[in-house]
Amino acid sequence: MNIALVTCESLAQYAAPNVEDEDSLLTRYLREQGHTVEPRVWTNPAVDWLRYDVVVVKSPWDYFDRVEEFYQWLDRMETLGVRMLNPVATVRWNANKKYLLEMQQAGVSIVPTHWLERGSSVNINTLFDILGSDELVVKPAVSGGAKNTFTLTKQESAVRQPQLASLLQHEDFLVQPFQPEIQQEGEWSLIYLGGQYSHCVLKTPKSGDFRVQHYLGGGIEPREAPTHLRRTADAIVARYAADCLYARVDGVDANGELLLMELELIEPFLYLASSEGALARYEAGLAVNL
């Protein structure tokens, strides 16, 4: 296969000394299997996307900083008829976290969420009552890498009010009750390749933090997915990502139930080095989806 691996201009800010660069790992493996793999920056207008058998969206980790440009790029891929994985329509749908609202309305259990529209005004104190929590997590509706994501307590409301008001001038946000399970146990990530379950990791934040990303000091522990979490994640992927090369279901185990935090279908880190055979399953997923 002649493969374009979609990336961005720089991945340096997401690197961690104890975690191998996944793009390099995947590129090396696929080349060893006889494929031609070329990293291609999505913002480079000179790239001829039609010369590839498939365009694999791997690490465009700046799309949330230039989302309108990203949508235009997706439109171009669609117009050209490029074979893209994950599919263009899925990537477009998944770019804005309001997809969670659609999933919730369809019966998926998500972390309770209150939506804040761009340009709206909000009294922070009312958010604690709406969500029934003394601690909240605020994040943009289009984001990645924990950008502009922070916790909020009642004691901080007066100080944080101007910050939130300023952020809302630029984009939509969502607010959720802080999930103590993240610090008590961790956040579960179940990874699917070619529509089939592949492997699972438990991510834990460093002491005093709530963010689990490895480049922010979080820990990664390969684990077998608990049966009850796996059952829910299987159903989510079957419904929303059956035609995807990859999917990552992120959530917490709340009283024996998977509460979905995010369904990652654009550019998730897939922890391919954490599970024997994951790279081969990734390659097999490529063939299944073409």
Side-chain angles (χ1 to χ4, degrees):
M1 242 181 261
N2 186 16
I3 303 166
L5 206 66
V6 178
T7 187
C8 58
E9 294 175 1
S10 175
L11 301 177
Q13 67 269 40
Y14 299 109
N18 60 326
V19 179
E20 183 172 2
D21 175 63
E22 192 167 83
D23 285 27
S24 298
L25 180 70
L26 180 62
T27 297
R28 184 168 63 248
Y29 176 83
L30 290 175
R31 285 175 176 170
E32 289 171 353
Q33 308 313 306
H35 303 288
T36 299
V37 183
E38 297 179 346
R40 288 292 177 258
V41 175
W42 71 273
T43 52
N44 182 355
V47 177
D48 179 8
W49 300 103
L50 286 173
R51 62 181 291 261
Y52 299 98
D53 298 322
V54 63
V55 173
V56 175
V57 183
K58 182 62 182 73
S59 54
W61 290 343
D62 58 355
Y63 85 88
F64 42 83
D65 291 323
R66 45 208 307 184
V67 66
E68 292 305 323
E69 188 178 351
F70 186 65
Y71 287 144
Q72 291 171 9
W73 179 74
L74 292 177
D75 290 343
R76 183 183 172 214
M77 297 297 100
E78 194 168 49
T79 299
L80 290 172
V82 169
R83 285 188 172 184
M84 198 169 100
L85 295 174
N86 286 341
V88 170
T90 298
V91 171
R92 188 186 290 114
W93 173 78
N94 197 234
N96 189 308
K97 290 180 176 58
K98 281 196 173 178
Y99 71 81
L100 289 168
L101 179 59
E102 179 183 327
M103 295 179 72
Q104 182 185 38
Q105 291 171 341
V108 177
S109 296
I110 71 169
V111 173
T113 303
H114 183 72
W115 304 92
L116 301 176
E117 298 290 337
R118 175 183 176 182
S120 64
S121 60
V122 61
N123 184 330
I124 284 180
N125 289 320
T126 65
L127 298 175
F128 297 100
D129 295 331
I130 290 171
L131 290 164
S133 176
D134 292 333
E135 186 171 9
L136 305 174
V137 175
V138 181
K139 63 180 73 171
V142 178
S143 70
K147 172 192 172 184
N148 287 337
T149 298
F150 56 93
T151 56
L152 187 62
T153 64
K154 288 184 176 181
Q155 292 74 22
E156 300 170 314
S157 59
V159 176
R160 292 283 198 172
Q161 182 75 49
Q163 178 190 9
L164 182 57
S166 176
L167 289 170
L168 278 172
Q169 297 308 304
H170 304 286
E171 56 186 326
D172 297 342
F173 272 76
L174 58 93
V175 187
Q176 300 172 324
F178 178 77
Q179 300 299 302
E181 294 87 357
I182 292 178
Q183 291 181 330
Q184 295 166 358
E185 179 183 34
E187 177 183 320
W188 292 91
S189 284
L190 288 76
I191 294 90
Y192 291 74
L193 300 173
Q196 302 298 314
Y197 172 77
S198 173
H199 55 286
C200 175
V201 299
L202 182 64
K203 302 176 296 187
T204 53
K206 68 180 181 181
S207 179
D209 205 339
F210 70 100
R211 300 167 300 177
V212 297
Q213 289 85 352
H214 59 273
Y215 48 85
L216 297 175
I220 303 167
E221 181 184 353
R223 296 279 290 271
E224 186 54 47
T227 301
H228 62 291
L229 302 185
R230 166 80 184 274
R231 187 183 305 115
T232 301
D234 283 355
I236 288 173
V237 171
R239 180 164 184 174
Y240 295 98
D243 60 346
C244 290
L245 167 60
Y246 55 79
R248 199 182 82 197
V249 180
D250 291 346
V252 293
D253 187 349
N255 299 316
E257 177 186 27
L258 175 67
L259 280 186
L260 181 69
M261 299 184 70
E262 292 194 43
L263 173 60
E264 296 273 13
L265 304 177
I266 297 182
E267 34 60 78
F269 198 87
L270 296 170
Y271 308 100
L272 295 173
S274 72
S275 174
E276 184 177 356
L279 288 164
R281 292 190 291 273
Y282 191 104
E283 183 193 15
L286 276 169
V288 166
N289 284 277
L290 285 182

